[in-house]
Amino acid sequence: MRADAREGHTICLEAAMTINAPTAADEITAAATASFDKCADPRLREIMRALVRHLHAFATEVHLTEAEWTTAIDILTQTGQITSETRQEFILWSDAMGLSMFVDALAHDGSGLGRRGVTESTVLGPFWTPDAPLRAYGDSIAEDTHSGTPAWVYGRVLNPDGEPIADAMLDIWQNGADGLYTVQKPETDESHLRGRFLTRADGSYAFLGVRPIPYTIPNDGPVGAMLAATGRHPWRPAHIHMIVTAPGYQRLQTHIFDSASAYLDSDAVFAVKRSLVREFVARSADDRDRPAGVTAAWCSVENDVVLAPISPGQPSAGSTKGRR
């Protein structure tokens, strides 16, 4: 029995010596990269190979320890646990790390003001939800009268030649005087401070919102812990969100930033573009142009939007998914 056991042990050792398993760091990187060689989708194969190379290069550069990687796994686990129907912590990581705006820059390389005045895009923002109520020209998106200083927002949707685009859809959402979005307040009607508007024949649109205020991105989770640990603030400057779509034109997600707001030069998600900053003009209660239903001081902001046409063979932008 002992002889047989020794013989079997010898055979196992010899078999093990023939296994060509990677052990060194560079060998593991090469093996993990090569594991995707048979992937039938060339784009997926390219992405996965590059992902492995860059992840391994990052770990090498910072000399990542096992304890640090375990902490990172715990953070990813917490990110999944806090993510819900109304909060997407993974997207928040992307925003706070500048990746969302970096991908936006890659997708719209030089396509903003440098390309015939097309309105520049920016991040989707924190709290978009689908199916906002369809409202008429000039309607208010505030469901109560305590949402903040009324703001008359108006302008036209145009093509790069300055021609109006009729029946373009503007999907609008914003925060109120408390700095919160509706989805952060379950007790509030979800249609509050949200609405969709169609442009008229001359490309014009208008709605009555409220003057936005700066607010913090959700900072009670893993992303907030990262910001606090690294000495970063969680603030975003005051802005109004909009997604603008029209048949034959590229989908645009953008902001209207208030020129008087704080944090324009230190947005927590790096989303400010100079071309998107607008002046909110203070108006008095007795102003003859006062919108219907406004009885106190208000403000107005003009914001024209220029859409880029879809090039021949270019697919239209996909639908917006996810929210936080």
Side-chain angles (χ1 to χ4, degrees):
M1 290 293 294
R2 292 179 179 176
D4 290 343
R6 285 196 298 271
E7 182 180 351
H9 182 62
T10 302
I11 293 173
C12 288
L13 285 174
E14 291 175 349
M17 292 176 64
T18 64
I19 297 175
N20 187 26
T23 55
D26 57 345
E27 292 176 342
I28 294 171
T29 299
T33 304
S35 70
F36 298 105
D37 287 352
K38 294 182 180 180
C39 177
D41 185 327
R43 177 59 176 165
L44 178 59
R45 183 171 63 247
E46 176 189 16
I47 290 174
M48 294 309 298
R49 284 172 170 173
L51 179 62
V52 167
R53 291 196 305 271
H54 288 281
L55 282 176
H56 289 210
F58 161 74
T60 299
E61 179 182 340
V62 301
H63 300 287
L64 195 67
T65 68
E66 291 181 333
E68 289 166 342
W69 182 232
T70 298
T71 298
I73 293 296
D74 289 341
I75 291 171
L76 290 174
T77 301
Q78 294 167 25
T79 298
Q81 291 169 341
I82 203 171
T83 296
S84 68
E85 283 296 312
T86 57
R87 175 168 179 166
Q88 232 301 352
E89 193 79 1
F90 285 103
I91 296 179
L92 198 60
W93 272 112
S94 176
D95 290 353
M97 298 298 286
L99 185 59
S100 296
M101 282 306 299
F102 186 81
V103 173
D104 174 83
L106 292 176
H108 303 94
D109 184 23
S111 67
L113 292 182
R115 195 179 72 179
R116 304 179 66 194
V118 171
T119 299
E120 292 193 281
S121 60
T122 188
V123 295
L124 179 62
F127 299 107
W128 176 84
T129 57
D131 304 320
L134 187 62
R135 303 183 189 271
Y137 179 93
D139 276 357
S140 174
I141 62 174
E143 300 294 336
D144 65 63
T145 58
H146 304 290
S147 302
T149 302
W152 179 251
V153 185
Y154 68 99
R156 293 200 299 163
V157 177
L158 310 165
N159 68 20
D161 294 322
E163 299 168 339
I165 302 175
D167 294 323
M169 176 72 74
L170 294 94
D171 189 345
I172 309 295
W173 69 105
Q174 66 162 117
N175 66 5
D178 57 2
L180 299 176
Y181 289 80
T182 302
V183 295
Q184 295 176 283
K185 302 184 293 182
E187 73 281 3
T188 305
D189 185 343
E190 194 170 279
S191 64
H192 178 54
L193 294 178
R194 299 170 58 235
R196 290 178 297 151
F197 298 85
L198 289 170
T199 57
R200 302 192 293 190
D202 62 353
S204 63
Y205 74 91
F207 64 91
L208 186 64
V210 298
R211 189 166 190 170
I213 66 170
Y215 68 91
T216 61
I217 61 174
N219 59 354
D220 58 342
V223 174
M226 179 275 292
L227 294 176
T230 56
R232 288 179 55 187
H233 72 70
W235 287 92
R236 295 214 62 203
H239 58 273
I240 296 173
H241 298 263
M242 60 173 56
I243 297 173
V244 189
T245 55
Y249 294 88
Q250 297 178 32
R251 173 185 171 279
L252 172 69
Q253 62 184 38
T254 191
H255 292 7
I256 303 172
F257 288 101
D258 187 339
S259 63
S261 175
Y263 306 107
L264 286 171
D265 59 350
S266 62
D267 185 0
V269 303
F270 313 99
V272 176
K273 294 183 177 179
R274 185 177 303 173
S275 68
L276 303 180
V277 177
R278 300 285 185 272
E279 181 184 4
F280 283 67
V281 180
R283 312 286 284 268
S284 63
D286 59 358
D287 191 307
R288 62 185 181 86
D289 293 326
R290 184 185 65 204
V294 174
T295 58
W298 56 290
C299 62
S300 63
V301 57
E302 183 175 9
N303 181 67
D304 286 347
V305 176
V306 181
L307 298 182
I310 295 174
S311 303
Q314 179 184 19
S316 60
S319 61
T320 305
K321 297 181 179 180
R323 51 177 172 168
R324 67 175 165 281

